[in-house]
Every structure is written in structure tokens, then in C-alpha cells.
Amino acid sequence: MTNTGGGGPIPRGTWWREGALTATAFVLCLLGGMLQVDGSTPAPPPAAAYLIAVLSCAALPLRRRVPLAAMAATTAGGALVPPAGLLLTPLIVAPALITAYSYSLTARTERRAAGAVSLISATLLVASIPSSGALSWQDASRMGVVAAFPLMAGVLGYSVRNRRAYLAAVEERARRAEESRDSEALRRVAEERVRIARELHDLVAHQITLANAQATVAAHLFDTRPEQTRKSLKELVETTGDALDDLRATVGLLRQSGDTAAPAEPAPGLSRLPTLIESFRRAGLEVSVHQEGTARQLPPGVDLTAYRIVQEALTNVTKHAGTGSARVRLAWNRDRVTITVADDGGGAPTAPTASTGPSTSTAADRPPGYGLIGMRERATAVGGHLSAGRRPEGGFLVSTQLPLPSARDSTRRTDGATTIEGRMADPATGDKEAGDAP
């Protein structure tokens, strides 16, 4: 176990390793004590070699708890070699080399490790200088070897330390990458849930509002105009059928990968605006639609957002405005399309749905929902902007600006001053209403 704090207890299960290391160092010390200066046949280790080996090796198990004390003890044992009449070689100072390696591996800072190892090397270098006689090349080479070995041990410990730090960093990066993948997956799941929630809100709010309006018409005309009541009930059946189809297609997104795939339909866009207007007409809301500029093909996400914003805005008019008419304007510019939906918010009722009745008053008393929040989220998600509020002249206005692709990507061309096909307003009054559009 690496202890970057500079010392610590011996980890469990490594006592046998410590024993083997200490025994090896003891044997190396004895072998070093057998070497002679003149290169004669090695003699058995003298008593001084045993004493130095015992004193030096006894400090090795303490190098983790008190590393500096262990280094001092082993270095002192190496410095006692020349006075004891033994030859100072890397073998007899093996315990000092081991403590130098260990301290370089676990020191708190590189500077402290370098200073400690350099002190060991300098001490052994001074101890290896002959006290008398001329300094021969053999003595100089032995002194250089004795001084260089602690430095080599320190460099080796530093390299092993860097290697372990590199592997730890790689493992940490892998762990963080795994956590990032998990977080990204959770984020995408949350975004998908929000997207599906928006779709369900828009579908349910639109279809249920139309169904409520048609049911109100049927209840209002049940006694006086049976034929009109039958027509309203037929439209109610169609509306609820469309609602079920839309809900089935949207909820089908939640099916598991192994389930049978439901038939996919193209996402709605502004091309389906006439059908949307017709559904509000059946509910008693007269809607006029006016275009300005040259229409262009929208990206799928922006096209769906534009459709849903118009749908939600008209649904809010039906539920809360207390008026029987609304105006939709699409202004096509070079880099954006501006969509506005406005109502007069206090005009005379134009359909029985606006008459005073239980259903109308109940709808007006309901607390505001999440329609405006959903519209803003949709517009922001595609890089657009949405604003909504009351008009000074009365009524409510929803305005959004959505980004457009470049002009060369445009594939649809329409007359900038014409009203789109399928507008529900009376053709005779269409120009007047277009001029009144905000």
C-alpha cells in the first residue's frame, strides 16, 4: 500500500514480504562484509559485519512508520563500515538503499525526497574517503559507486511513484467517464420525459377543449335544434376519435424495444394548419389566418414547434378568452418567422359556446395551467423566443419568433399577401380582419 503521507502501518498480509526483504538485506550485508580491499579470497564475515547487518536491518520494518528515523539508522550503519575495518560497498549498505527507495516512493513532496536521498549519498561518500594514504583510482571508483547507488534507488522510487500516480489518474478518469455516461443517460431520459409530457399536454388540452366546446353546443341546442345537436354530437365523436389516435401515437413512444412498433406518422407541422383551424371551427371559434412574406420549408423541429404553439394558443382562446374569434398571422422574414395569435377578449359571442352557461363559467374560473410554460419551453428549445400578455386595446396576444434556414434551402413559395388555404374567416371580410391583425 502506498502511503503518500510519508509513513504508516504495515498493511495486513505483507508481514511475510517484510520478513523476506529484511532477510535478503541481512544476507547482502554479510556478503559485503566478506569482501576484501586487496581482492583476496573472501573470508567468513567478521563479527563487525554481523553487528552492522543487525543494526541496519532492524530498522527496515520501521521505515513505514518512522521513515526518517529508519533512514538515519541505516545510513549510520553504513557510515560505521570503514571504522570497523570493512570495505564500504553497495552490498553492505543495502538497507540504506532500501530506505532511500521507500522514502522516495512515499514522501509528501519531491523536494523532501530529493533532499533525504542526497543526504544519504553525501554521508556515504564522506564515509568512504580513506583516512590515510593516497587516493587511488580504485578508491575513487568505489566511492563514486557507493554515492551513486542511493541516488539510483531514489530515482527508481520516484519513477515507481509517478507510474502509480499515472495509473491512479487513468482509473479516476475512467470512473468519472462512467459516471458522466450515467449522468448523460439520466439527463437524456429526463429530457425525453419532458418532451413527451409537452406532447401529451398539447394533445390532451387541445382535443379535450374542443370536445368540451362541442358538448356544450349539443347541450345548449338539445331541446330547440335537434338536427344541430346531432351534428355537434357527430363532431364530438370525431374529435374524441382523433384524440385517441394522437394519444396512441404519442404514448407509443414509450413502448419497449422488443414490442411491436406502432405505425409511425409524420410529425404535424404548418402544412396541417388548415385541418387544425377546421377543428376549432367545428368547436365554434372563427379563426382567420394571414401570411406575410415568402413561406419557406421549416426544419422538422421548428415546424412541429410552430404548429404546437398555434394549437396551444388557440386552445387557450377557446378555454379562457370568452370570445368567438381569433387571428393568426405568420410573418416570414429572411432569418425568422414571427407567429402571432390574438383575440379581442371581450367581443360579442359568435357561437353558442360563448353563451353564459355552466360549462363556460367553469372554464373561466379554472386556474391557469402549463400552456404558456410549455410554449416558451418549445420556442427556447429550437432557438426561438416567445412572449405573451394582454393587449392594451383588449384581449390577449401570443407572439413567437422562430429561426429559419437559409434562403437557398427554401422549397416552398407562396404569395406574401395571400391568406392560406383553409382559413375559416368569411372571405368577404378577410382583408379587413387581416388588416386588424396585430
Side-chain angles (χ1 to χ4, degrees), residues 70 142 152 243 311:
R142 186 172 62 253
M152 293 172 60
Q311 181 187 54

Side-chain angles (χ1 to χ4, degrees), residues 242-280:
D242 293 340
L244 291 175
D245 292 339
D246 291 341
L247 287 175
R248 187 180 299 111
T250 303
V251 177
L253 298 174
L254 302 177
R255 299 175 68 90
Q256 299 298 325
S257 58
D259 296 340
T260 303
E265 294 183 359
L270 292 181
S271 61
R272 291 179 53 180
L273 195 56
T275 304
L276 178 67
I277 301 303
E278 177 63 25
S279 66
F280 281 102

Side-chain angles (χ1 to χ4, degrees), residues 266-342:
L270 292 181
S271 61
R272 291 179 53 180
L273 195 56
T275 304
L276 178 67
I277 301 303
E278 177 63 25
S279 66
F280 281 102
R281 175 180 176 276
R282 293 199 302 264
L285 180 68
E286 291 294 333
V287 183
S288 62
V289 184
H290 183 70
Q291 285 197 121
E292 296 178 2
T294 302
R296 299 207 301 271
Q297 184 69 37
L298 295 175
V302 179
D303 203 16
L304 174 62
T305 297
Y307 178 87
R308 292 302 187 200
I309 289 176
V310 174
Q311 181 187 54
E312 180 63 27
L314 293 178
T315 300
N316 289 341
V317 172
T318 304
K319 292 168 60 178
H320 306 296
T323 181
S325 63
R327 296 181 295 276
V328 178
R329 182 171 70 95
L330 289 82
W332 301 85
N333 297 322
R334 182 177 59 86
D335 57 350
R336 68 183 183 275
V337 57
T338 302
I339 302 174
T340 58
V341 180

Side-chain angles (χ1 to χ4, degrees), residues 209-221 228 232 235 279-286 317-325 348-364:
T209 298
L210 295 184
N212 179 72
Q214 291 163 353
T216 302
V217 172
H220 182 77
L221 301 176
Q228 185 66 28
S232 296
E235 293 175 350
S279 66
F280 281 102
R281 175 180 176 276
R282 293 199 302 264
L285 180 68
E286 291 294 333
V317 172
T318 304
K319 292 168 60 178
H320 306 296
T323 181
S325 63
T350 58
T353 58
S355 63
T356 58
S359 299
T360 304
S361 61
T362 302

Side-chain angles (χ1 to χ4, degrees), residues 36-47:
Q36 302 295 324
V37 177
D38 56 2
S40 59
T41 303

